[in-house]
């Protein structure tokens, strides 16, 4: 396991793609999925790194070579419905996804960032 201070893992060695390389719609979709993942993580009782890891798993629900990006709402809803079975209905998940999409647009326009 690498040390936290290892130069190979520090933020200065990570490359960030230029903002023009990330399509705005893809950014919004990822924000929406992240918010949905954090919401579900809270319902599942996950905190800290476990919640962040879970949110990341929701952000990218099985992208394939044929369809690497796009609006993957049905995949996200399916994953959340499976993980939250008995706690939240699919209809409630879809309502939350609509709310999170609006929130993601607001954040992208310069609102509060998470």
């Amino acid at each position: 396991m690498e040390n936290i201070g290892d130069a190979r893992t520090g933020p200065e060695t990570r490359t960030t793609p230029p903002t023009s390389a990330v399509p705005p719609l893809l950014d919004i979709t990822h924000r929406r999925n992240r918010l949905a993942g954090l919401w579900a993580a809270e319902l599942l009782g996950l905190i800290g790194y476990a919640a962040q890891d879970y949110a990341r798993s929701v952000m990218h629900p099985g992208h394939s070579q044929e369809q690497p990006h796009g609006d993957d709402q049905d995949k996200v809803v399916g994953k959340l419905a499976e993980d939250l079975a008995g706690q939240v209905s699919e209809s409630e998940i879809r309502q939350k996804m609509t709310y999170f999409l609006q929130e993601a647009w607001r954040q992208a326009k310069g609102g509060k960032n998470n």
Side-chain angles (χ1 to χ4, degrees), residues 35-90:
L35 291 169
L38 291 172
W39 166 73
E42 184 177 342
L43 292 176
L44 293 169
L46 301 175
I47 58 172
Y49 291 121
Q52 294 297 323
D53 288 344
Y54 181 80
R56 273 190 289 281
S57 77
V58 172
M59 279 178 66
H60 309 286
H63 289 149
S64 66
Q65 294 289 21
E66 298 82 36
Q67 186 181 7
H69 296 294
D71 190 356
D72 48 10
Q73 180 169 339
D74 289 335
K75 289 181 183 178
V76 172
V77 169
K79 175 176 179 37
L80 295 177
E82 183 179 319
D83 294 349
L84 298 173
Q87 294 183 31
V88 181
S89 71
E90 185 174 322

